[in-house]
Amino acid sequence: AQSVTQLGSHVSVSEGALVLLRCNYSSSVPPYLFWYVQYPNQGLQLLLKYTSAATLVKGINGFEAEFKKSETSFHLTKPSAHMSDAAEYFCAVSAGEGFQKLVFGTGTRLLVSP
Amino acid sequence: DGGITQSPKYLFRKEGQNVTLSCEQNLNHDAMYWYRQDPGQGLRLIYYSQIVNDFQKGDIAEGYSVSREKKESFPLTVTSAQKNPTAFYLCASSILAPGEDTQYFGPGTRLTVL
């Protein structure tokens, strides 16, 4: 079975500061990992995904994430926060290739102050 | 423009009434999904379908029903048996092919039961 833990329901940063959103996973098989972003009252948009190729994954809007098997982590980072990054971010895991259900974390709300 | 549409965006119903949420996709995706989102709980899978005329229960199917009569459409009915139906409902779809695990989400329907 797969599970995801997102540490911190809220993260606050200043504009221009580093963004770090934490995600740890549990999986009995090599996982596929995803980060999604959700703006208020909207659906989820894929930021990036890891599917067992390169461990450092680059996504949209300047975000990237690094898969660390030894730490079972897939943290999301962005070097410099922008006001438009304020949203809720979800980490998700599936059990690899083929049809697999996604298991989502509880989400982290990113607050960006001027 | 290809995408997933959900209607209506906001829905109000009286307690005890059944209500049907619409989800349509023109992405030619095989699989479709319904999730429920509550504050602080992330997304939980209600039902999913990999092929027309077939669907499976997710983690919280009680009080919900679905149909998949067409590839493009996957309506969700929230029945009076659902004890706490007020939530944000998200529909998603994906291709069923190796390496294509990404789920794409619609804009959501916010259901409020009075």
Side-chain angles (χ1 to χ4, degrees):
Chain A
Q2 286 70 45
S3 67
V4 168
T5 301
Q6 290 185 243
L7 294 175
S9 59
H10 292 79
V11 170
S12 296
V13 300
S14 299
E15 194 172 19
L18 171 71
V19 175
L20 170 61
L21 304 182
R22 299 179 187 274
C23 173
N24 288 88
Y25 70 91
S26 172
S27 179
S28 55
V29 298
Y32 281 12
L33 292 157
F34 304 79
W35 275 101
Y36 284 87
V37 61
Q38 184 182 35
Y39 298 98
N41 289 312
Q42 294 187 26
L44 275 67
Q45 179 183 7
L46 181 70
L47 276 177
L48 49 82
K49 65 178 182 180
Y50 165 78
T51 57
S52 75
T55 56
L56 182 62
V57 182
K58 294 187 183 298
I60 62 171
N61 301 339
F63 284 94
E64 63 182 35
E66 186 172 9
F67 173 71
K68 291 187 177 180
K69 184 177 178 181
S70 61
E71 299 177 7
T72 61
S73 69
F74 190 57
H75 302 331
L76 182 70
T77 60
K78 181 174 181 178
S80 176
H82 192 273
M83 296 294 290
S84 61
D85 295 326
E88 189 151 23
Y89 293 80
F90 291 93
C91 183
V93 62
S94 71
E97 195 170 279
F99 179 80
Q100 301 289 347
K101 294 185 289 182
L102 273 181
V103 175
F104 285 86
T106 53
T108 297
R109 184 166 299 279
L110 177 65
L111 307 169
V112 183
S113 55
Chain B
D1 254 350
I4 303 173
T5 56
Q6 292 186 242
S7 60
K9 187 167 179 65
Y10 299 95
L11 190 54
F12 297 88
R13 280 295 181 269
K14 292 183 179 179
E15 195 170 338
Q17 289 182 333
N18 291 358
V19 61
T20 297
L21 282 59
S22 169
C23 177
E24 303 277 335
Q25 54 98 1
N26 60 5
L27 300 168
N28 199 31
H29 284 177
D30 306 293
M32 296 187 74
Y33 316 77
W34 274 105
Y35 292 90
R36 171 182 171 136
Q37 184 178 18
D38 297 281
Q41 295 194 46
L43 278 73
R44 294 181 291 169
L45 184 63
I46 304 172
Y47 269 98
Y48 61 100
S49 168
Q50 298 180 65
I51 194 170
V52 173
N53 293 323
D54 188 45
F55 46 83
Q56 287 78 41
K57 293 182 179 180
D59 301 317
I60 56 164
E62 185 175 351
Y64 300 98
S65 66
V66 294
S67 63
R68 186 91 186 272
E69 297 177 0
K70 298 185 300 181
K71 187 176 184 178
E72 304 79 21
S73 178
F74 192 41
L76 173 74
T77 297
V78 184
T79 75
S80 57
Q82 169 50 234
K83 295 179 181 178
N84 184 19
T86 294
F88 191 50
Y89 291 87
L90 288 160
C91 179
S93 69
S94 69
I95 297 172
L96 288 180
E100 293 291 340
D101 303 79
T102 303
Q103 291 185 23
Y104 296 89
F105 284 80
T109 292
R110 186 167 297 281
L111 173 64
T112 303
V113 176
L114 306 172

